[in-house]
Amino acid sequence: MIDLHYWPTPNGKKVTILLEELGLPYRIVPVHIGKGDQFTDAYLKIGPNNRMPAMVDNEPLGGGPPISVFESGAIMLYLAEKAGRFLPTDIRGKYEVTQWVIWQMANQGPKFGERGHFSRVPADQGDQSYAQRRFADEVHRLYGVLNNRLYDRRYIAGDDYSIADMISYPWTASWELQGIDLGEFKYFKRWWDEMSARPAVQRGMAVTAGTPEDPAAISPEEQERRRKLLYNQRARPAPVE
Ligand SMILES: N[C@@H](CCC(=O)N[C@@H](CS)C(=O)NCC(=O)O)C(=O)O
């Protein structure tokens, strides 16, 4: 069985889409990132970057102790390789897909994330207009990269559906909130409509991690504790020998 340490955000949903496409049994282990579950000693053993998702495969190929993997891109590569699907094994096909997985991890994920972050900065933190423009432009540029890529290909890596498509979809699910007009990106839109209609994509996007919290039920003390934990994160001290 695979344990997916998960919270329902785009980075988590990349992996649930793949697990649903593969039809592999998995167990969701909630990592409530708003409460700070990502900082516990137990979680840091499998997710040393204090971010989710992370995965533990209790039945790795070839047997032996469980294998744990963090970083959504690495988890996607691991699961696709294990299942022998959605990642070609020939050298050309494999790197056609891998380069787009890394593109997503190094560009689309971080830039879309920062666009969201700077759009939510409280007013008392000063003028954010440069950062907001910078990341809105990057998001627009990256939609253009996908649109141009999909101009003469059905899928991101070519004729076949792959983990490059699954990893790139969740961050585009809220294109409207990102200020994007899909009329500008018609080749991307054709792909997006096809992706959105896939039953496994719909199931993966709908995976939750328990009942959502009622924000009104969080005490002011707890809100303050979370604010201190989550904002201005700096290096954690190394273990003492
Ligand atoms: N590159 C990482 C990014 C993971 C990431 O940023 N996860 C966010 C949620 S989407 C998180 O765990 N945030 C917790 C925090 O900021 O403390 C991946 O793709 O796995």
Side-chain angles (χ1 to χ4, degrees), residues 17 22 25 44 61 71 76 92 97 99 109 117 122 175 210 223 239:
I17 289 175
L22 291 172
L44 288 168
L61 283 182
E71 286 291 333
M76 308 280 288
R92 289 173 200 277
V97 171
Q99 66 187 350
H117 175 87
W175 53 267
Q223 285 178 26

Side-chain angles (χ1 to χ4, degrees), residues 11-84:
N11 287 323
K13 291 177 182 183
K14 300 164 178 177
V15 183
T16 47
I17 289 175
L18 174 58
L19 286 163
E20 291 292 335
E21 290 283 9
L22 291 172
L24 284 179
Y26 63 98
R27 196 164 33 212
I28 291 291
V29 184
V31 183
H32 191 321
I33 56 174
K35 269 190 195 156
D37 289 354
Q38 68 274 34
F39 301 103
T40 63
D41 290 342
Y43 184 73
L44 288 168
K45 285 202 172 78
I46 56 166
N49 193 39
N50 68 261
R51 299 282 189 271
M52 74 86 225
M55 178 219 68
V56 179
D57 181 1
N58 295 293
E59 289 152 332
L61 283 182
I67 292 182
S68 76
V69 182
F70 74 104
E71 286 291 333
S72 56
I75 299 170
M76 308 280 288
L77 290 165
Y78 176 92
L79 290 172
E81 189 175 335
K82 179 176 185 185

Side-chain angles (χ1 to χ4, degrees), residues 4 6-21 26 28 161 165-175 178 191-192 195-209:
L4 181 63
Y6 171 86
W7 196 246
T9 74
N11 287 323
K13 291 177 182 183
K14 300 164 178 177
V15 183
T16 47
I17 289 175
L18 174 58
L19 286 163
E20 291 292 335
E21 290 283 9
Y26 63 98
I28 291 291
Y161 181 52
D165 301 291
M166 298 175 216
I167 202 169
S168 299
Y169 176 78
W171 277 105
T172 68
S174 47
W175 53 267
Q178 293 159 350
W191 171 89
W192 192 88
M195 292 292 294
S196 304
R198 287 185 75 94
V201 170
Q202 292 171 4
R203 289 196 303 275
M205 291 294 291
V207 173
T208 59

